[in-house]
Amino acid sequence: MTDSYPEHYAAIKDVVLTDFLSSDTESMTKASDLWKDKPTVVAVIRRPGCPFCREEARILDEHRDIIEKEMGFRMVVVVHEKLGAATFKNDFWNGGETYWDETKGFYKALGGGKLRWASIDQLVRPTLWFNVFRNWRSGVRGNLLVGEGRIFGGLFIVRKGDGGIAYKFEETVWGNLAPIGDVLKVCSDISGVTLKDASVKRAKEQELQVRERHEAAAKAGQTECEGDVCALPPSKL
């Protein structure tokens, strides 16, 4: 398989990440070492205290046994700030691998070389409020003002070794989640492990809420963000 996103892979492979939660002593690793021996799912988290980010982590964690044990992947989270990361790791990521990206290399890669910032106009986007309602139904809670939550995140699925990136998801509105069905499908294609019916059914149920939200937003004339800042177009204010 060839790298589907060569420029993005070039931007992340040499990023230095810090493991600051596994022991009393911080240790650093080059990003490419994460997928040296296993393909890897990398969730790039906007803010550890964000309820949407915690919800996405919970969804991914529900499929951890399939992705890690059956398909042979590694699953890691990348954060751009340490604030709230310990709670995120322990309570929403099942103690899984969590790394600090001090230079925000993964975040810049998602923005084509620069950070993508959300503006205050996000608060009036219908899409955001559909996300809020979806998150409320999920039962996952967070905080609103602790930490920097304006830098958009996303998700990468990276093939083993130097195989490059197989899948990329960019957050464009607060609360957009990487479609778990797509994540599982790509992992299945890479590993050659067929998804079980129960896993497919669960993924479809989780995506249904997101799809309904998108459809409702489309009817409201909602657009996605353009450029570096995701804001409501002037005509919609």
Side-chain angles (χ1 to χ4, degrees), residues 65-184:
D65 283 351
I66 298 167
I67 296 173
E68 288 189 335
K69 296 180 181 179
E70 295 184 23
M71 296 181 176
F73 276 71
R74 192 173 187 173
M75 294 173 63
V76 306
V77 153
V78 167
V79 297
H80 65 76
E81 62 183 5
K82 296 180 177 181
L83 188 63
T87 297
F88 181 93
K89 173 178 178 173
N90 296 327
D91 295 349
F92 300 94
W93 192 229
N94 199 27
E97 293 183 77
T98 304
Y99 296 91
W100 176 39
D101 179 3
E102 183 178 11
T103 63
K104 301 179 179 62
F106 277 79
Y107 298 83
K108 292 174 183 176
L110 286 166
K114 48 190 172 183
L115 299 177
R116 301 182 73 234
W117 294 82
S119 77
I120 194 65
D121 293 335
Q122 283 269 320
L123 296 174
V124 296
R125 295 176 71 93
T127 310
L128 168 62
W129 293 103
F130 287 120
N131 288 344
V132 170
F133 298 146
R134 183 210 67 232
N135 172 257
W136 185 261
R137 289 195 298 268
S138 77
V140 178
R141 300 292 179 260
N143 55 69
L144 298 178
L145 301 174
V146 181
E148 174 57 78
R150 295 173 297 161
I151 302 173
F152 282 114
L155 183 141
F156 292 107
I157 298 178
V158 190
R159 297 187 181 94
K160 175 182 174 180
D162 289 323
I165 297 170
Y167 176 82
K168 173 178 67 71
F169 172 80
E170 297 177 4
E171 183 184 23
T172 56
V173 174
W174 282 330
N176 279 4
L177 308 181
I180 188 60
D182 290 352
V183 172
L184 292 175

Side-chain angles (χ1 to χ4, degrees), residues 9 34 63 74 119 152 155-157 175 193 204 207 229:
Y9 183 70
L34 296 178
H63 299 275
R74 192 173 187 173
S119 77
F152 282 114
L155 183 141
F156 292 107
I157 298 178
V193 176
K204 288 182 177 178
E207 288 191 318
V229 177

Side-chain angles (χ1 to χ4, degrees), residues 6-81:
E7 293 183 359
H8 292 79
Y9 183 70
I12 66 172
K13 66 184 181 68
D14 293 323
V15 172
V16 176
L17 300 172
T18 303
D19 181 355
F20 64 104
L21 294 173
S22 295
S23 65
D24 293 335
T25 303
E26 294 186 354
S27 60
M28 295 182 178
T29 184
K30 190 165 70 172
S32 58
D33 288 340
L34 296 178
W35 49 82
K36 180 180 179 181
D37 300 315
K38 294 182 177 182
T40 303
V41 176
V42 183
V44 185
I45 299 301
R46 178 164 44 78
R47 184 173 65 87
C50 167
F52 303 133
C53 302
R54 292 175 171 185
E55 180 187 0
E56 181 166 41
R58 277 278 179 86
I59 290 173
L60 288 168
D61 185 63
E62 287 179 9
H63 299 275
R64 185 181 294 274
D65 283 351
I66 298 167
I67 296 173
E68 288 189 335
K69 296 180 181 179
E70 295 184 23
M71 296 181 176
F73 276 71
R74 192 173 187 173
M75 294 173 63
V76 306
V77 153
V78 167
V79 297
H80 65 76
E81 62 183 5

